[in-house]
Amino acid sequence: MYDVIIVGGGASGLMAAVNSTGNIAIVEKNDILGKKILATGNGRCNLSNLECCYESDFGNEILSLFDVEKTLDFFKKMGIETVSEKSRLYPMSLEAKSIRETLEEKALAKSEIIRGAVKELEQLDTGFKLIIETGSKNSDKNRKGNNINRLDKKTKDYEQLNSSDKNIRESGSNITSAYSKAVIFATGGKAGPQYGLTGEGFRILKNLGHTIKKPIPALVPLVSESPFLRDIAGVRVNGRISLIKNDVEIATEKGQIQFNNDSISGICTFDLSRHVRDIKENRYRVRMDFLDFPSFNEKENVKKFLHKRANNVIFDKNFLRGILPEKLGQALICAALKNIYGIEYNGFDGAENIENQVDKKAVIEELARIVKSFEIEISGTKGWRDAQVTDGGICEEEIDRNTLESKLVKGLFLAGEVIDITGRCGGYNLQWAFSIGALECG
């Protein structure tokens, strides 16, 4: 029987393994440990953030016990130097594999790997029995040489096999049992099925009596059916974007806004996506300020600026050239014309043409309004493949804050994305995984 089995070899699971002692095993179904780490920070591993904090008191308590400074010191002792870009922190190599391979190496020095997926978790008087479905993929070479709990394929009985200098292999699809005094449950959420994340852990924990807040994709593009997006697809612009829920502004962010044919993305938009929930019961839209500068802090300032500009610049489809990206400027002028005259403008060709057809003063005033507060209806978010993290999961109230043990299942400890703690984009979620993973061994 193991002292501890860690279910999930992601960031928090690996961190727990590195900091643990005793007879430890990691159950992981992917072909490599820490697979999702490779995708973080666009392959550079944005491992933390100098401004890291969480909206949850529980999250901040965990962070205070293993904070950013301790995280950087932890990696430094393992040979990983770090650099910062603004507040975001990366390995100096700017390669995510530096973090993944270092954690894997240290974890395998202390732990055995059972390659497979946990299907059920049964509580026993002496600990836990894990029902594991093993597949055809070979595991990493075991480097510790302790006993590995496996199913004897001839007798169909549970036995212990000495594993020195062996790969742990399973062919076909088999069911294996493993036993442990305690379990650290770090299966992750549902974000990133291409990295092996399915949300299966939520089902197992629900069967054990835990309350699961509905998981939704987070840090993900916002989807819209607005035809406006097709006109500005590919545009990137700095500005302010706010999320409106049922006519009430609930969150606002600043940064680069990116437009696609059917969605809006960019870090600031990803951070807003955490608040889009129950889309069928609520109406969401975003409001964007494309001139978020001190000199244009009020619509009246923009209006005066544009009226003055009209005296010197031809009032045509390129009237906003040099102020905004060309495609965006043209689309906003067309939108202003549509709002006033109720007709579609697909662009116009010259000053005489437009000035002979419209009230230039009225168009400029409408343009000043929408440049500062352009709104687009949101119909949802992109799905799990595009999501960076999961929002939702185990309610923090069901976790003992002092031990990180489940209040419902003695000996079961919870870690990482399976808990309903979601951070901002920019290293906050990896820091959460590292902080809670490091504390599990305590």
Side-chain angles (χ1 to χ4, degrees):
M1 176 177 283
Y2 290 102
D3 294 319
V4 177
I5 288 180
I6 301 168
V7 183
S12 57
L14 287 174
M15 197 69 164
V18 172
N19 287 277
S20 63
T21 58
N23 189 14
I24 311 297
I26 301 173
V27 181
E28 173 57 50
K29 64 183 177 182
N30 281 327
D31 52 346
I32 62 171
L33 297 171
K35 190 172 185 176
K36 192 177 177 182
I37 294 174
L38 295 174
T40 60
N42 289 322
R44 301 189 302 161
C45 191
N46 183 186
L47 60 92
S48 188
N49 196 297
L50 293 171
E51 299 175 353
C52 194
C53 63
Y54 302 100
E55 297 173 0
S56 157
D57 290 340
F58 175 51
N60 288 323
E61 284 181 27
I62 297 301
L63 180 63
S64 69
L65 296 173
F66 196 87
D67 59 15
V68 175
E69 184 178 355
K70 289 181 179 178
T71 301
L72 299 185
D73 184 59
F74 167 83
F75 282 111
K76 186 178 181 66
K77 289 178 179 177
M78 294 196 297
I80 300 292
E81 300 291 340
T82 54
V83 294
S84 63
E85 293 182 7
K86 296 183 178 178
S87 62
R88 298 183 181 91
L89 294 161
Y90 300 86
M92 189 176 289
S93 66
L94 296 180
E95 291 184 327
K97 69 176 185 177
S98 300
I99 299 296
R100 192 206 72 79
E101 290 176 1
T102 298
L103 286 173
E104 178 187 55
E105 180 179 313
K106 300 298 182 181
L108 288 177
K110 291 187 172 186
S111 311
E112 297 164 353
I113 308 301
I114 301 176
R115 191 66 64 182
V118 173
K119 308 306 291 183
E120 298 295 341
L121 183 62
E122 300 178 12
Q123 189 174 27
L124 310 174
D125 292 338
T126 56
F128 295 91
K129 175 182 178 181
L130 290 79
I131 309 300
I132 303 168
E133 182 179 46
T134 59
S136 59
K137 294 178 180 178
N138 294 337
S139 78
D140 304 272
K141 188 174 183 180
N142 184 325
R143 304 179 189 181
K144 186 178 178 184
N146 287 340
N147 290 335
I148 298 175
N149 296 310
R150 293 179 52 193
L151 188 71
D152 184 285
K153 296 182 176 63
K154 293 182 179 180
T155 65
K156 303 300 182 184
D157 292 328
Y158 176 82
E159 66 173 4
Q160 291 187 324
L161 300 176
N162 188 280
S163 63
S164 297
D165 300 321
K166 288 185 179 181
N167 286 337
I168 307 167
R169 298 177 183 269
E170 294 291 347
S171 60
S173 181
N174 303 281
I175 299 298
T176 294
S177 299
Y179 296 80
S180 181
K181 297 175 185 176
V183 169
I184 296 175
F185 209 83
T187 56
K190 296 183 70 175
Q194 63 272 41
Y195 309 113
L197 281 301
T198 63
E200 179 73 359
F202 295 132
R203 179 192 64 80
I204 294 172
L205 293 172
K206 185 176 181 180
N207 288 343
L208 292 171
H210 273 287
T211 303
I212 310 294
K213 180 181 177 182
K214 180 183 176 182
I216 61 169
L219 304 189
V220 65
L222 298 177
V223 174
S224 175
E225 298 175 0
S226 171
F228 184 80
L229 291 180
R230 292 192 293 273
D231 295 332
I232 59 172
V235 168
R236 300 184 179 204
V237 62
N238 290 330
R240 181 186 295 271
I241 181 168
S242 303
L243 183 66
I244 315 298
K245 177 182 178 182
N246 300 329
D247 297 325
V248 177
E249 182 180 306
I250 60 172
T252 187
E253 300 287 346
K254 294 178 64 173
Q256 187 180 83
I257 307 169
Q258 301 175 20
F259 297 98
N260 311 300
N261 282 313
D262 62 349
S263 60
I264 307 171
S265 60
I267 291 175
C268 55
T269 307
F270 294 159
D271 284 329
L272 291 183
S273 71
R274 299 178 295 140
H275 306 286
V276 178
R277 182 175 282 273
D278 299 324
I279 193 73
K280 293 181 179 180
E281 288 78 36
N282 298 285
R283 179 194 175 202
Y284 290 94
R285 64 187 191 277
V286 290
R287 178 183 298 140
M288 291 165 284
D289 180 352
F290 298 120
L291 290 178
D292 186 36
F293 302 102
S295 56
F296 296 135
N297 61 341
E298 297 292 339
K299 183 181 71 175
E300 288 301 316
N301 295 345
V302 178
K303 189 187 302 183
K304 291 177 182 178
F305 170 77
L306 293 180
H307 277 301
K308 184 177 180 180
R309 180 179 176 84
N311 294 327
N312 303 303
V313 177
I314 296 174
F315 190 61
D316 64 2
K317 65 181 180 179
N318 294 316
F319 179 64
L320 296 178
R321 177 187 289 163
I323 300 174
L324 294 173
E326 184 174 292
K327 286 172 66 175
L328 177 61
Q330 292 177 359
L332 288 172
I333 291 171
C334 291
L337 292 168
K338 180 181 179 182
N339 290 348
I340 294 174
Y341 298 105
I343 56 176
E344 293 285 353
Y345 279 79
N346 294 318
F348 40 91
D349 295 324
E352 290 184 0
N353 183 39
I354 189 63
E355 290 182 3
N356 289 335
Q357 296 183 56
V358 304
D359 181 340
K360 186 166 69 172
K361 179 180 178 181
V363 174
I364 287 177
E365 292 191 359
E366 176 62 10
L367 188 59
R369 183 188 71 80
I370 63 176
V371 163
K372 292 294 290 180
S373 59
F374 191 81
E375 295 188 358
I376 291 181
E377 292 283 336
I378 298 300
S379 57
T381 69
K382 289 283 189 177
W384 291 112
R385 289 189 67 86
D386 294 289
Q388 295 182 35
V389 296
T390 302
D391 184 81
I394 297 295
C395 297
E396 60 186 65
E397 292 79 12
E398 296 178 357
I399 302 171
D400 187 312
R401 295 192 177 201
N402 295 316
T403 64
L404 303 182
E405 186 177 23
S406 164
K407 291 181 179 179
L408 307 180
V409 184
K410 185 175 178 58
L412 175 63
F413 299 83
L414 303 164
E417 199 174 327
V418 76
I419 303 171
D420 182 27
I421 301 287
T422 307
R424 296 168 59 84
C425 194
Y428 292 70
N429 293 288
L430 262 185
Q431 178 63 62
W432 163 250
F434 293 145
S435 292
I436 196 164
L439 296 173
E440 292 291 345
C441 61

